[in-house]
Amino acid sequence: MSITRSIVLGCGSYLPARTLTNAELAGMVDTSDDWIVQRTGIRERHIAADGEFTSDLAVHAARDALAAAGLEPQAIDLIILATATPDHTFPASAVTVQAQLGITQGAAFDLQAVCSGFVFAIATADSLLRTGGFKRALVIGSETFTRILDWKDRTTCVIFGDGAGAVVLEAAPQAGTLADRGVLGAKMRSDGRHKSKLYVDGGPSTTGTAGYLRMEGKEVFRHAVTMITGAVEDVLAETGTKATDIDWFVPHQANQRIIDGCAHRLGVSRDKIVSTVDRHGNTSAASIPLALHTAVTDGRIKQGDLVMIEAMGGGFTWGAALIRW
Ligand code: UT7
């Protein structure tokens, strides 16, 4: 039986040139390199330049992914941009990306699921591609979180950074077995009862300002491992796979302790974890595609590998997806 799967044709990323080290942060707030490394694993993060917007980062990552796929922009008929830091309240930053790439066909929209945005965007693009309504999608995670940080709040400003990553997905016939390439399964979850544990204290309908990120870090941490492992286990069950089948575990890069805790509980060995949190910090929806591109570029992720992505973030939102590369 032939079925349609969303297969990965290429992957790309972009990081702003400027890096901010823990030592520099220690000169700005009451913190230390030791505290940040021990509690989070983060050593440095990238910061977008003045005048460099979420859509600009996204366009760089998209062009990189298109080049890897060997495609011209006009081959794309769907753009889903996962972001919680859009250029403007509207229009969607995705249409700016679409225009900058010179794409005049199909549809482009933003998806807001904060740190789970890329997992939600993969699941959404996969659903739309499998309807036959679209042929090729650019799925992008792009963020300028440093623009919504309170630089006097040491509990949040040391955690986040800017960046973008993208993949090109194509609807392609596959055999309908576990050996297929493409998105094999995905799970999206949310529970709004937790919305005040990680939020931004502004918005167009409330304060009329962009606002600043606020987080009860300990509370988020407390739920993260349980929610993430639950979503991963659901995807494993749905696809008939085991944690030991996973070649590469590519988590949202929030905190090395959360990443290690999830891998340990799932029984994924350490050598299969792709971690970039030390160099990128938490780039929200961009962190998974940034990590994917890192592991593709250094030769770890190869065609045919089984890749599990997962994330949890504001809302709370959480989810996972299993992709045969
Ligand atoms: O991506 C979306 C999802 N977000 C996350 O997954 C984040 C989840 N949360 C976390 O990663 C962790 O909770 C943090 C890294 C944010 C904080 O780590 P923690 O181990 O939970 O620390 P804590 O909040 O319990 O704070 C411990 C101590 C406190 O001092 P006292 O009360 O023990 O005296 C804090 O005031 O560390 C203090 N502290 C700091 N010290 C130095 C908090 N932030 C800092 C800092 N530098 N930057």
Side-chain angles (χ1 to χ4, degrees):
M1 184 189 68
S2 172
I3 66 163
T4 302
R5 300 264 197 207
S6 310
I7 65 168
V8 179
L9 296 184
C11 183
S13 70
Y14 175 77
L15 288 162
R18 188 179 161 222
T19 55
L20 180 67
T21 63
N22 290 349
E24 288 174 83
L25 274 164
M28 296 159 61
V29 287
D30 181 15
T31 192
S32 65
D33 178 54
D34 267 3
W35 189 95
I36 302 171
V37 171
Q38 276 175 25
R39 299 285 175 140
T40 70
I42 300 167
R43 293 180 185 277
E44 62 181 26
R45 68 289 291 144
H46 290 251
I47 310 262
D50 289 346
E52 193 175 38
F53 306 136
T54 291
S55 63
D56 298 317
L57 275 53
V59 167
H60 284 297
R63 286 196 200 285
D64 200 19
L66 285 165
L71 291 174
E72 293 300 321
Q74 282 302 339
I76 299 296
D77 58 1
L78 176 66
I79 299 174
I80 304 182
L81 171 55
T83 189
T85 46
D87 297 2
H88 302 286
T89 302
F90 79 81
S93 299
V95 299
T96 303
V97 173
Q98 185 190 32
Q100 286 194 23
L101 293 174
I103 300 171
T104 51
Q105 60 178 352
F109 59 90
D110 288 0
L111 188 152
Q112 221 290 43
V114 208
C115 298
S116 309
F118 188 75
V119 173
F120 277 43
I122 286 284
T124 305
D126 177 48
S127 298
L128 290 171
L129 288 171
R130 285 190 288 109
T131 66
F134 297 91
K135 183 67 185 153
R136 279 180 219 92
L138 256 173
V139 182
I140 310 168
S142 184
E143 302 279 18
T144 48
F145 254 56
T146 62
R147 303 263 155 81
I148 53 164
L149 294 179
D150 174 352
W151 290 98
K152 294 189 180 69
D153 177 7
R154 68 175 183 171
T155 68
T156 52
C157 76
V158 304
I159 311 277
F160 296 92
D162 301 335
V167 297
V168 178
L169 294 180
E170 181 179 63
Q174 296 286 296
T177 71
L178 197 56
D180 288 356
R181 290 188 63 201
V183 179
L184 301 178
K187 185 86 183 167
M188 294 187 281
R189 285 295 320 276
S190 57
D191 185 345
R193 288 175 299 177
H194 300 286
K195 71 188 176 82
S196 60
K197 295 182 178 119
L198 175 49
Y199 70 104
V200 170
D201 64 5
S205 177
T206 49
T207 59
T209 62
Y212 292 107
L213 184 150
R214 307 293 174 204
M215 177 167 75
E216 292 175 35
K218 238 182 177 30
E219 274 297 297
V220 181
F221 197 110
R222 202 164 69 76
H223 288 86
V225 176
T226 311
M227 287 177 163
I228 290 165
T229 53
V232 170
E233 280 163 355
D234 285 349
V235 171
L236 291 173
E238 176 195 320
T239 54
T241 49
K242 301 184 297 297
T244 47
D245 296 330
I246 297 169
D247 293 305
W248 299 108
F249 183 63
V250 187
H252 167 48
Q253 310 285 320
N255 184 318
Q256 190 62 44
R257 291 187 291 146
I258 297 176
I259 295 172
D260 292 341
C262 291
H264 179 73
R265 195 185 284 193
L266 288 163
V268 172
S269 62
R270 290 184 77 90
D271 55 331
K272 293 181 174 182
I273 302 172
V274 176
S275 177
T276 53
V277 70
D278 58 335
R279 285 169 293 128
H280 300 169
N282 181 343
T283 57
S284 187
S287 88
I288 292 173
L290 273 163
L292 285 171
H293 190 225
T294 299
V296 167
T297 307
D298 67 21
R300 276 179 288 176
I301 296 180
K302 292 180 285 298
Q303 192 169 312
D305 285 353
L306 209 47
V307 178
M308 180 67 80
I309 62 172
E310 53 84 340
M312 181 267 191
F316 292 146
T317 54
W318 67 102
L322 186 65
I323 305 167
R324 170 110 34 216
W325 209 257

